[in-house]
Amino acid sequence: MNDFSTTYDLINSRKGQIAVLIDPEKSQDEKTLKDLLYKCELAKVDFIFIGGSTVTRREFEHTASTIKRLTEIPLVIFPGSADQISEKADAILYLSLLSGRNPDFLIGHHIRSANELSEIGIEVIPTSYLLIDGGTASSVAYVSQTNPIPREHVSIVRQTALAGKFLGKKITYLDAGSGAKYPVPVQMINEVHAIGSPVIVGGGIKTQGQIDAYAEAGANVIVIGNAIEQDMNLVLDLRSHAKRNK
Ligand code: 1GP
């Protein structure tokens, strides 16, 4: 295991860590999941994130239990709704969609899930969640009925992340949306890193070059979902990167 007492400490401990995002809606076949987790272990992936925009409670619980049974890689919930909670996870990113103005995604889902989270006692990490225009209509934008921040508006990203920090959020997650045509601009990572917030970045990331550029700009965790769903072997290419950063 590791020397860090919380998942937050682990996230904050260094730059360039890798998270593989598993969407339970697409991961009900145990053999495929087992194969993927085996490859994640070989590649020394740092975190498994679990979540999706349209997952049922049953699919979520089933996938979280299976992942926990098959690997010791820390499991972090990246929730699409108040239903995506499991005591099997190590922590939950308690996302406030600060790029939007939909009260449901700013406080509604949080109130709905608060009692259950308090009962199961997993680590809750207050997280500013900013959707950035990735050149495609993302499911998060559709489901939350919010508009992403335009790619050229780096100063809006900085101000929003700063406001989130003042509100007590411990991490900023910049997301171009799953399958984004254009991943989050590197300059946005620089800006958020500069305000002293740990950064998670995801959406449309496919190459080692992108991962290196984000790590260099100060991203703590780089999230890859879609590209690994398309080709599971891609995870093995992350191995050299993981080693370089150990
Ligand atoms: C999307 O950040 C995640 O919410 C990951 O995006 O599926 O495009 O890797 P991809």
Side-chain angles (χ1 to χ4, degrees), residues 52-83:
S53 300
T54 52
V55 185
T56 66
R57 181 148 203 139
R58 212 181 57 77
E59 286 168 336
F60 190 85
E61 192 55 63
H62 177 254
T63 308
S65 308
T66 311
I67 294 171
K68 219 46 206 170
R69 178 159 48 81
L70 296 174
T71 183
E72 287 194 0
I73 300 172
L75 178 62
V76 178
I77 301 174
F78 171 45
S81 77
D83 284 329

Side-chain angles (χ1 to χ4, degrees), residues 3 15 17 42 44-45 51 54 60 85 90 98 101-102 109-110 143 183 187 211 215 217 222 229:
D3 300 329
K15 313 286 181 268
Q17 300 180 84
L42 276 184
K44 295 189 167 38
V45 160
T54 52
F60 190 85
I85 289 177
D90 295 285
L98 298 187
R101 298 296 178 269
N102 180 341
H109 286 279
H110 311 71
V143 170
Q187 201 198 338
I211 293 170
I222 295 125
E229 279 166 21

Side-chain angles (χ1 to χ4, degrees), residues 21 78 129 140 173 175 177-180 202-205 223-227:
L21 173 62
F78 171 45
Y129 185 46
V140 181
Y173 192 139
D175 195 347
S178 190
I205 301 169
V223 185
I224 307 171
N226 212 55

Side-chain angles (χ1 to χ4, degrees), residues 186-228:
V186 172
Q187 201 198 338
M188 289 183 176
I189 312 296
N190 279 312
E191 292 285 333
V192 176
H193 177 56
I195 66 162
S197 170
V199 185
I200 301 177
V201 60
I205 301 169
K206 303 187 180 72
T207 67
Q208 190 67 54
Q210 291 167 327
I211 293 170
D212 290 343
Y214 286 136
E216 182 81 7
N220 294 73
V221 181
I222 295 125
V223 185
I224 307 171
N226 212 55
I228 287 171

